[in-house]
């Protein structure tokens, strides 16, 4: 809201008049609640101040330049007192509860982000809840939920107490997410008793860090992985062993169960890779196959990655499902990506078999806890827990169609099982014609999600849909049936609509040299400023762009006809190439960068997740490494991850020439 200078003058004059009239009363009332007549000083922005506020300048010259008005007038313009102003009820740093109620809670112990999240909850207007309200107790963390909370799973297996009791006993109320920073229910509830802290005899696990330090966690903390060979230890014991406590665990609070290391020991293990003494890894060429010996090393390194099963096992199985619900799969899981790329790049069936380990685990989860799996699969970000099911089925069935002699009936049947589990899990998410979005023609809830969820969070789930649809097509061909056509059509529609929306929100721009570039914003619902066909918004940063591309790669691979095709991948490659020679942390096209370069995060390359685009534009890998010295570049590119990605770029290049190619070197 801009004021004309005339309006400002009028305001100043009237304010000065009121000031004179009220000056006497003013000084005595500054510590009471600010009234509508209170005179306030405004220097622009959404906040104003009363005299006596620490944040208000004492310099008379500066003070004279500020606009003075009544607080009533300020409020009409949407300007509120700052939280530090005497008599202020505006929530903020100094006023977590908006001054309405004393809270006096020390959120400092929860860290900067943790405190920020909890203070934000206090901005939700207070709501009264009957202390006899039924609450459902989680099994993993000491949290309770409302009956209709969307995060509540396996309700029938949970202990029920009253809200009053939960508050008194120190349960976290309506908290969810890995560190408890999300508010899922009981919004606006204000506690009466403090939250319970972790006690000295709480059983946890000590993690040895690379720097030699010991760190104590509760099992289930997302900052470490519970392993079979770890020793459980109480917090007291850990402190005696000079371990420090994980800050995320402090924030999340007490656990109600412990890891079941015996059951964990029964999970399949990965072979250990010990590099031979006479072997020094060297960078792979993006054009020529490495030697047989080098290929074998890469395969062995890949097989040693571990299955990538995310959640641990607890004595209470409900706790295991709660941890599963809290896990994030969308990056996607590093091991699954490595297995997928590794198989495409080498054709080694042991790698495909490694991918199946987690696929079996999550197939069984879908069978045993269908309600949990369905809840998790509701949006493309979380449905990615089925990534290894879809991708391993696709690889198995694609191979079976092309080389029937290389795949057993048992393998085909297992792939079919993975797909059946997916179809059953996704049924309530994308089937049914009751409430279709008129624009997208898919269920309204999913369509709304497509339009609002960050692209980089959704892309790998959409890629998983693409893979599942391609695998179902293979299955129909092998089984000589059309049984799965409805699901194939649905999944493909989802992919198509998501891509269409991604492209329409994003910016596909043709530069003067005729080359096309594609970039897009971080937020799916961001409204761009459009200028000469260029879109300006919070263009996605390199790191998140990298996650997003792993999903695009699956779509290119499985369903290029749905929008992620050669031309589109080339336009993305052009943008990535251009970006690597700038200093901008966000990826845009050259013309947009000339007008308004952007860095959502600081420039930080190389990112080897971009190496695959070498298949669409020569020099991508060199571009990614263009800021490195020769020595640093060789160091980076001789690493496992860079070698794998360089070889996968060769696969993609070969795939462009032969769309039936299952793996690199297949035709030799
Ligand atoms: Zn103030
Ligand atoms: Zn809840
Ligand atoms: Zn922890």
């Amino acid at each position: 809201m801009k004021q004309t200078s005339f309006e400002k003058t009028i305001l100043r004059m009237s304010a000065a008049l009121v000031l004179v009239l009220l000056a006497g009363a003013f000084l005595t009332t500054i510590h009471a609640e600010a009234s509508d007549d209170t005179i306030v000083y405004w220097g622009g922005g959404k906040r104003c101040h009363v005299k006596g506020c620490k944040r208000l300048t004492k310099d008379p010259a500066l003070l004279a330049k500020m606009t003075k008005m009544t607080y009533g007038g300020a409020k009409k313009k949407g300007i509120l007192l700052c939280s530090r102003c005497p008599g202020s009820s505006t929530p903020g740093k100094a006023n977590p509860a908006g001054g309405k109620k004393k809270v006096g809670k020390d959120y400092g112990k929860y860290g900067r982000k943790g405190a920020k999240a909890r203070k934000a909850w206090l901005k939700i207007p207070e709501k009264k809840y009957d202390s006899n309200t039924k609450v459902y107790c989680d099994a993993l963390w000491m949290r309770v939920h409302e009956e209709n909370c969307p995060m509540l799973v396996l309700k029938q297996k949970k202990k029920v107490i009253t809200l009053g009791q939960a508050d008194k006993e120190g349960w976290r109320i309506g908290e969810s997410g890995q560190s408890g920073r999300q508010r899922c229910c009981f919004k606006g509830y204000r506690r009466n008793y403090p939250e319970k802290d972790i006690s000295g005899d709480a059983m946890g696990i000590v993690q040895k860090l690379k720097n030699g330090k010991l760190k104590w966690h509760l099992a289930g903390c997302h900052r470490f992985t519970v392993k079979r060979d770890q020793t459980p230890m109480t917090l007291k014991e850990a402190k005696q062993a000079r371990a420090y406590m994980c800050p995320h665990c402090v924030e999340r609070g007490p656990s109600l169960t412990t890891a079941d290391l015996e059951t964990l020991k029964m999970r399949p293990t990965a072979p250990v890779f010990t590099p031979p003494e006479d072997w020094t890894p060297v960078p792979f060429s993006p054009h020529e196959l490495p030697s047989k010996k080098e290929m074998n090393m890469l395969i062995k390194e890949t097989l040693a990655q571990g299955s990538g099963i995310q959640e641990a096992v607890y004595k209470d199985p409900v706790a295991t499902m709660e941890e599963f619900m809290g896990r994030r799969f969308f990056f996607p899981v590093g091991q699954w990506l490595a297995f997928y790329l590794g198989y495409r790049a080498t054709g080694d069936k042991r790698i495909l078999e490694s991918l199946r380990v987690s696929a079996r685990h999550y197939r069984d989860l879908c069978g045993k806890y269908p309600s949990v799996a369905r809840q998790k699969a509701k949006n493309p970000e979380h449905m990615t827990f089925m990534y290894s099911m879809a991708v391993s089925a696709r690889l198995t069935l694609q191979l079976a169609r092309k080389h029937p002699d290389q795949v057993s009936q048992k393998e085909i049947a297992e792939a079919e099982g993975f797909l059946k589990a997916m179809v059953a899990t996704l049924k309530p998410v994308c089937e049914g014609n009751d409430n279709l979005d008129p624009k997208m023609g898919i269920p309204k809830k999913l369509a709304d999600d497509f339009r609002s969820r960050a692209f980089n969070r959704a892309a790998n789930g959409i890629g998983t849909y693409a893979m599942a649809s391609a695998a179902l097509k293979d299955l129909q061909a092998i089984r000589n049936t059309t049984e799965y056509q409805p699901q194939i059509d649905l999944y493909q529609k989802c992919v198509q609509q998501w891509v269409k929306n991604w492209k329409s929100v994003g910016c596909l721009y043709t530069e003067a040299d005729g080359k096309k570039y594609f970039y897009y914003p971080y937020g799916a619902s961001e409204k761009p400023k459009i200028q000469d066909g260029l879109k300006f918004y919070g263009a996605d940063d390199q790191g998140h762009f990298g996650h997003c591309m792993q999903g695009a790669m699956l779509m290119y691979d499985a369903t290029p006809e749905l929008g992620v095709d050669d031309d589109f991948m080339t336009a993305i490659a052009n943008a990535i190439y251009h970006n690597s020679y700038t200093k901008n942390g966000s990826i845009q096209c050259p013309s947009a960068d000339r007008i308004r370069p952007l860095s959502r995060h600081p420039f930080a390359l190389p990112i080897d997740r971009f190496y695959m685009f070498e298949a669409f534009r020569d020099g991508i890998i060199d571009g990614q490494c263009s800021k490195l010295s020769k020595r640093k570049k060789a160091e980076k590119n001789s690493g496992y991850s860079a070698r794998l990605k360089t070889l996968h770029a060769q696969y993609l290049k070969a795939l462009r020439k032969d769309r039936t190619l299952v793996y690199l070197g297949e035709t030799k």
Side-chain angles (χ1 to χ4, degrees):
M1 256 195 303
K2 274 220 159 134
Q3 289 175 316
T4 64
S5 60
F6 174 71
E7 280 170 336
K8 274 187 189 159
T9 312
I10 294 290
L11 257 172
R12 273 187 206 136
M13 280 165 60
S14 52
L17 186 67
V18 177
L19 186 65
V20 170
L21 291 173
L22 291 174
F26 181 58
L27 287 169
T28 56
T29 56
I30 50 171
H31 289 289
E33 178 88 11
S35 73
D36 283 359
D37 310 327
T38 307
I39 293 302
V40 297
Y41 291 78
W42 180 64
K46 289 180 187 161
R47 293 289 177 262
C48 59
H49 307 277
V50 293
K51 257 204 175 146
C53 173
K54 279 183 201 162
R55 285 180 181 155
L56 184 65
T57 179
K58 294 208 165 57
D59 181 338
L62 290 176
L63 211 56
K65 276 192 192 153
M66 291 181 83
T67 307
K68 294 171 200 69
M69 55 182 127
T70 64
Y71 191 37
K75 281 195 282 191
K76 275 191 197 136
K77 296 178 193 293
I79 303 165
L80 295 178
L81 287 180
C82 96
S83 65
R84 290 204 194 272
C85 276
S88 167
S89 60
T90 311
K93 266 188 195 141
N95 234 354
K100 290 213 169 63
K101 196 176 171 185
K102 262 196 282 152
V103 172
K105 272 198 199 79
D106 175 24
Y107 286 134
K109 64 182 175 185
Y110 295 147
R112 189 180 60 82
K113 284 186 179 170
K116 196 177 157 197
R118 282 162 184 82
K119 281 178 186 166
W121 296 343
L122 296 171
K123 289 185 190 167
I124 305 171
E126 180 170 354
K127 197 178 152 191
K128 287 271 171 256
Y129 288 87
D130 183 346
S131 68
N132 289 315
T133 308
K134 265 203 291 186
V135 299
Y136 290 78
C137 302
D138 275 355
L140 177 56
W141 307 118
M142 200 176 166
R143 296 171 176 169
V144 294
H145 300 275
E146 229 172 317
E147 180 148 28
N148 59 0
C149 170
M151 291 309 289
L152 193 56
V153 292
L154 303 173
K155 203 158 99 178
Q156 69 287 359
K157 299 197 175 183
K158 295 200 167 175
K159 190 170 91 171
V160 179
I161 57 175
T162 66
L163 180 60
Q165 186 187 348
D167 192 329
K168 204 164 182 180
E169 291 176 5
W171 292 73
R172 310 297 178 105
I173 296 165
E175 292 186 17
S176 53
Q178 289 174 332
S179 301
R181 287 176 201 159
Q182 269 101 53
R183 190 86 197 184
C184 47
C185 56
F186 284 119
K187 291 177 183 166
Y189 180 73
R190 303 279 191 267
R191 322 186 52 101
N192 299 308
Y193 299 89
E195 290 147 357
K196 196 174 168 194
D197 288 328
I198 298 171
S199 69
D201 51 12
M203 191 58 82
I205 289 167
V206 167
Q207 175 194 25
K208 192 165 181 183
L209 302 178
K210 274 186 191 143
N211 61 13
K213 281 188 186 162
L214 299 175
K215 188 174 179 183
W216 184 86
H217 297 271
L218 287 168
C221 173
H222 61 288
R223 299 307 288 253
F224 90 124
T225 310
V226 179
K227 296 207 178 94
R228 61 185 72 214
D229 49 3
Q230 286 160 335
T231 327
M233 213 184 267
T234 65
L235 176 58
K236 216 152 106 201
E237 288 162 346
K239 279 183 175 165
Q240 277 156 10
R242 318 201 73 181
Y244 75 98
M245 205 171 164
C246 163
H248 289 271
C249 286
V250 175
E251 184 182 345
R252 202 186 300 106
S255 163
L256 301 164
T257 182
T258 51
D260 179 358
L261 296 173
E262 292 312 308
T263 306
L264 201 62
K265 276 179 193 159
M266 289 174 349
R267 276 190 188 162
T269 43
V272 178
F273 173 71
T274 323
E277 273 176 31
D278 63 344
W279 176 65
T280 315
V282 288
F284 284 2
S285 147
H287 312 293
E288 281 164 48
L289 281 180
S291 70
K292 195 119 195 110
K293 187 188 167 194
E294 289 298 331
M295 281 287 245
N296 274 328
M297 285 304 174
L298 187 80
I299 292 167
K300 281 187 183 163
E301 288 170 278
T302 305
L303 293 172
Q305 298 293 311
S307 67
I309 293 172
Q310 297 293 289
E311 69 285 355
V313 200
Y314 299 89
K315 299 255 156 88
D316 184 343
V318 178
T320 309
M321 286 306 97
E322 285 168 8
E323 197 208 324
F324 164 71
M325 284 302 289
R327 285 277 164 183
R328 304 171 90 188
F329 291 82
F330 72 91
F331 295 101
V333 173
Q335 290 95 332
W336 303 350
L337 179 63
F339 293 148
Y340 180 67
L341 303 181
Y343 181 77
R344 289 298 197 194
T346 67
D348 191 284
K349 274 195 73 181
R350 289 168 298 174
I351 298 179
L352 174 52
E353 179 56 24
S354 301
L355 196 49
R356 291 176 184 143
V357 175
S358 58
R360 286 177 196 127
H361 173 86
Y362 289 108
R363 170 204 62 199
D364 293 347
L365 190 154
C366 290
K368 211 168 165 195
Y369 299 103
S371 67
V372 181
R374 285 174 176 177
Q375 178 82 352
K376 186 77 173 162
K378 268 188 179 163
N379 62 59
E381 177 172 344
H382 294 291
M383 74 80 79
T384 328
F385 82 89
M386 294 187 283
Y387 181 105
S388 57
M389 293 162 72
V391 162
S392 70
R394 162 70 171 158
L395 294 174
T396 304
L397 299 173
Q398 194 184 11
L399 190 67
R401 274 179 83 180
K402 202 167 171 194
H403 305 289
D405 55 313
Q406 291 181 26
V407 182
S408 70
Q409 285 306 312
K410 206 178 143 213
E411 286 174 288
I412 295 174
E414 187 172 54
E416 184 173 17
F418 294 155
L419 293 172
K420 280 188 168 163
M422 285 191 76
V423 167
T425 303
L426 291 170
K427 201 179 173 79
V429 183
C430 51
E431 294 192 24
N433 292 317
D434 308 349
N435 190 12
L436 292 184
D437 184 82
K439 241 179 144 182
M440 290 196 181
I442 58 172
K444 180 111 188 21
K445 271 193 177 163
L446 204 56
D448 288 343
D449 193 279
F450 284 9
R451 284 187 281 254
S452 59
R453 187 171 301 273
F455 297 113
N456 66 63
R457 287 188 170 201
N460 284 286
I462 303 301
T464 304
Y465 270 108
M467 277 284 162
S469 74
L472 285 167
K473 271 189 176 173
D474 294 332
L475 181 65
Q476 286 200 148
I478 291 168
R479 295 281 190 238
N480 200 12
T481 154
T482 52
E483 197 188 334
Y484 295 106
Q485 203 53 47
Q487 283 80 23
I488 294 171
D489 294 342
L490 273 167
Y491 299 173
Q492 298 214 334
K493 187 150 212 173
C494 288
V495 176
Q496 186 188 37
Q497 292 302 319
W498 186 85
V499 173
K500 199 174 147 197
N501 181 56
W502 185 30
K503 285 184 173 179
S504 80
V505 176
C507 184
L508 189 64
Y509 188 80
T510 310
E511 292 284 357
D513 62 359
K515 277 201 179 79
K516 281 190 183 131
Y517 290 74
F518 180 74
Y519 63 96
Y520 63 92
Y522 178 95
S525 51
E526 280 189 45
K527 295 275 168 283
K529 220 181 104 188
I530 301 173
Q531 187 184 327
D532 303 330
L534 293 161
K535 290 184 186 172
F536 295 95
Y537 32 40
D540 211 359
D541 54 272
Q542 296 160 329
H544 286 101
F545 203 111
H547 296 327
C548 197
M549 289 311 116
Q550 309 315 302
M553 177 265 292
L554 295 186
M555 293 174 231
Y556 173 76
D557 193 323
T559 56
E561 70 281 7
L562 301 180
V564 182
D565 53 14
D566 274 296
D567 282 352
F568 187 59
M569 289 293 268
T570 304
I572 294 172
N574 287 337
I576 291 172
Y577 180 88
H578 156 72
N579 170 264
S580 62
Y581 290 98
T582 69
K583 285 178 179 170
N584 309 325
S586 288
I587 298 176
Q588 301 186 125
C589 67
S591 290
D593 272 349
R594 269 194 296 276
I595 298 169
R596 196 209 64 169
L598 182 80
S599 295
R600 280 193 80 250
H601 290 296
F603 180 92
L605 292 184
I607 291 174
D608 57 33
R609 286 189 166 195
F610 288 140
Y611 283 16
M612 62 175 157
F613 286 97
E614 185 79 29
F616 301 92
R617 166 113 196 212
D618 287 333
I620 288 279
I621 298 176
D622 284 343
Q624 287 294 307
C625 300
S626 60
K627 309 277 203 257
L628 301 184
S629 69
K630 235 179 161 173
R631 187 180 60 81
K632 282 268 177 215
K633 180 180 173 186
E635 203 177 287
K636 163 75 192 165
N637 289 340
S638 58
Y640 164 70
S641 179
R643 276 182 286 125
L644 175 68
K645 266 96 177 179
T646 307
L647 199 58
H648 174 251
Q650 278 197 46
Y651 165 74
L652 273 185
K653 199 161 195 171
L655 178 68
R656 291 189 70 183
K657 294 200 189 95
D658 172 8
R659 286 295 319 188
T660 74
L661 195 71
V662 183
Y663 57 86
L664 188 64
E666 178 194 341
T667 45
K668 278 200 181 141

